[in-house]
Amino acid sequence: MKTYSVTDIGQKRKMNQDYVYCNEGAVGMLPNLFIVADGMGGHNAGDFASRFAVEEFVRQVSGGREKTLIKTMEEAVHRANQMLLEQAAARPELEGMGTTFVAATINGEDMYVANIGDSRLYLISGEEITQVTQDHSLVEEMIRRGEIKREEGRFHPNKNVITRAMGANVLVVPDFFEVRLMAGDFILLCSDGLSNMMDDHEIFSVIKSHGEDVAAAGARLLHLANEYGGRDNISIVLVGT
């Protein structure tokens, strides 16, 4: 397994509200753990939300006693969400904060994914790139209803309106996915600072063109997202199996 992770402020924002976590080693009963979170909220609230949610999730996983990987991740999500809400209630300057959250762990040939919001996980396998997660966003709902075409979504004025986030409600409902992997597959977790600046085909081309060098591929993705305008914070976790 080879990994690369980076988070960058981009070209337009004054603060980086993204947070990444990349650990090839065991975290509690999880064999490894990869996370991208994209915070939201005024002042430093978004920055606090993403970092706190990830750190609390990792803490919960580290001490978790659930019997399955999915149950471990699910319980950690709910507990981290509860703790995030308690922080917002106790500190007025954090009111209204929230964060997207996408996490993955790889156990042999199987990958388990949890997702809330519009940060994404892609699988690059053979000659295909597949978005495993489904965006919890207003634009994604419009696409599913046939109101706009998918290629219009990246440029829609409401593309940043999300419909689920950690810290937004007492009951947070993550999506879970189980994916069978093959040797040579790549897994990309990213915030919308990347996916809004590059289409899936270009992301695929960059990763495939660098072979097994995930560091070079990840660095190139970051460079291009900034070159194309860097309108948001950019976070990338790239894993080669």
Side-chain angles (χ1 to χ4, degrees):
M1 180 183 291
K2 298 179 180 180
T3 63
Y4 172 82
S5 62
V6 65
T7 183
D8 186 83
I9 195 170
Q11 301 296 311
K12 304 296 183 181
R13 299 298 178 94
K14 297 180 179 179
M15 176 182 294
N16 190 349
Q17 295 188 324
D18 287 3
Y19 197 83
V20 301
Y21 181 88
C22 181
N23 192 338
E24 296 180 32
V27 183
M29 73 174 295
L30 303 187
N32 41 65
L33 183 58
F34 312 105
I35 307 173
V36 167
D38 180 356
M40 63 206 77
H43 304 290
N44 68 337
D47 170 65
F48 179 92
S50 59
R51 176 179 56 81
F52 183 90
V54 171
E55 291 180 349
E56 186 60 31
F57 179 89
V58 171
R59 191 175 76 84
Q60 293 295 326
V61 165
S62 299
R65 298 181 180 179
E66 298 292 341
K67 294 182 179 180
T68 68
L69 300 184
I70 288 289
K71 280 293 185 182
T72 296
M73 296 173 76
E74 183 177 25
E75 180 60 30
V77 164
H78 289 305
R79 184 59 180 162
N81 184 66
Q82 180 183 349
M83 297 295 289
L84 196 61
L85 288 168
E86 290 178 5
Q87 289 290 317
R91 300 172 58 181
E93 71 274 16
L94 299 178
E95 183 179 0
M97 69 175 174
T99 184
T100 70
F101 188 89
V102 59
T105 187
I106 299 171
N107 185 31
E109 296 180 342
D110 296 312
M111 175 173 62
Y112 301 91
V113 182
N115 179 61
I116 304 162
D118 64 352
S119 293
R120 294 179 177 179
L121 184 143
Y122 289 96
L123 172 65
I124 296 90
S125 183
E127 295 304 311
E128 293 184 344
I129 180 170
T130 304
Q131 183 182 333
V132 173
T133 56
Q134 185 176 81
D135 296 351
H136 301 140
S137 68
L138 179 61
V139 163
E140 183 63 29
E141 291 183 359
M142 294 171 69
I143 292 170
R144 289 201 300 269
R145 292 195 298 262
E147 297 174 8
I148 62 172
K149 296 180 179 179
R150 183 160 298 280
E151 55 268 26
E152 298 172 328
R154 284 176 56 214
F155 309 102
H156 195 278
N158 292 326
K159 65 181 180 297
N160 293 323
V161 179
I162 63 173
T163 54
R164 288 191 222 173
M166 289 184 70
N169 294 288
V170 174
L171 295 177
V172 63
V173 183
D175 288 344
F176 290 99
F177 305 89
E178 182 176 350
V179 180
R180 180 58 58 95
L181 302 177
M182 299 176 60
D185 286 352
F186 296 92
I187 296 98
L188 171 66
L189 296 84
C190 65
S191 62
D192 63 353
L194 177 70
S195 57
N196 281 340
M197 302 308 299
M198 300 177 67
D199 64 29
D200 293 1
H201 175 74
E202 189 168 12
I203 291 172
F204 170 84
S205 296
V206 169
I207 293 173
K208 294 295 285 188
S209 69
H210 286 85
E212 296 182 359
D213 193 344
V214 295
R220 180 61 177 168
L221 290 173
L222 175 61
H223 172 78
L224 288 173
N226 274 316
E227 187 175 82
Y228 295 160
R231 292 193 297 268
D232 202 348
N233 308 144
I234 306 156
S235 289
I236 295 166
V237 176
L238 183 59
V239 182
T241 63

